[in-house]
Amino acid sequence: GDGEEGAGGGLPPPEAVLARLDDMLHVVQKVNSQFQDPALTTFVCVCIPEFLSLYETERLVQELAKFGVDTRNVVVNQLLFPDCAPGASPLLDARVAMQQKYQRQFYDLYDDDFHLTKLPLLREEVRGAEALKAFGKNQVVPYVAPPRPKSEGDAVAALRARVGELEAEVAALKG
């Protein structure tokens, strides 16, 4: 053959295998070093405010910490910020209460040493470059939810005010 075949019928000689493994070892060591350098690599954990997600996020943070990987950023996604008064939807009220419970637990676990980012559940998917840029601003400037209306009358007044704002924007664009 061409000098690459070994005695095992087409297998490379042990020296070639060891050389290849040594090359791979150097690549793995370089990648590992980069993963452990917070200036080069930060793992952002994204979760939702539910038990299993909280549990798995904590497990992930601890496993990555064992390997020296920076995980100081946690995004809590799909938070509910109701635009209706309490009592208008018992299901919504129950989900909000559940999410608040797990949000408190996220803060108990991560508030001191981590950067927590809260993101809202949206009415639609984030699709396309412009929508992604707009949503991405919440990573830099924290999302501030509008206050939840105290009553149905407050909710109607808030919606009327928003309609007025939108009509003013449309008029400004036309004129």
Side-chain angles (χ1 to χ4, degrees):
D2 59 6
E4 285 293 313
E5 292 181 8
L11 297 176
E15 299 80 23
V17 172
L18 289 175
R20 179 72 177 128
L21 286 175
D22 192 48
D23 290 343
M24 289 174 61
L25 176 62
H26 292 297
V27 169
V28 168
Q29 287 172 332
K30 183 177 180 180
V31 169
N32 191 39
S33 173
Q34 289 174 347
F35 275 10
Q36 293 176 345
D37 183 348
L40 297 174
T41 304
T42 296
F43 192 92
V44 178
C45 301
V46 179
C47 53
I48 58 175
E50 294 183 3
F51 171 77
L52 186 58
S53 186
L54 174 70
Y55 173 79
E56 290 297 331
T57 299
E58 178 57 14
R59 209 168 66 111
L60 176 63
V61 165
Q62 292 197 15
E63 282 297 312
L64 291 172
K66 287 179 189 175
F67 295 102
V69 177
D70 176 47
T71 57
R72 68 178 170 259
N73 297 290
V74 177
V75 174
V76 183
N77 200 9
Q78 298 185 2
L79 290 167
L80 294 169
F81 296 102
D83 55 1
C84 62
S89 169
L91 175 61
L92 181 60
D93 291 344
R95 296 296 294 185
V96 168
M98 180 205 63
Q99 284 194 349
Q100 289 172 345
K101 172 179 135 183
Y102 290 113
Q103 278 186 74
R104 284 190 298 276
Q105 290 182 17
F106 274 106
Y107 277 96
D108 288 346
L109 283 169
Y110 303 115
D111 196 30
D112 293 336
D113 301 320
F114 290 75
H115 177 250
L116 281 170
T117 303
K118 298 188 312 185
L119 296 176
L121 176 66
L122 302 175
R123 294 181 188 274
E124 65 281 327
E125 290 182 86
V126 178
R127 295 185 62 112
E130 291 306 312
L132 193 56
K133 285 178 192 175
F135 189 68
K137 290 178 184 175
N138 293 320
Q139 293 293 326
V140 179
V141 178
Y143 176 79
V144 177
R148 186 172 188 185
K150 304 256 185 269
S151 68
E152 287 303 315
D154 288 347
V156 170
L159 289 172
R160 285 188 176 136
R162 181 67 181 135
V163 167
E165 292 169 7
L166 292 172
E167 287 173 339
E169 287 180 31
V170 168
L173 289 173
K174 288 182 178 177

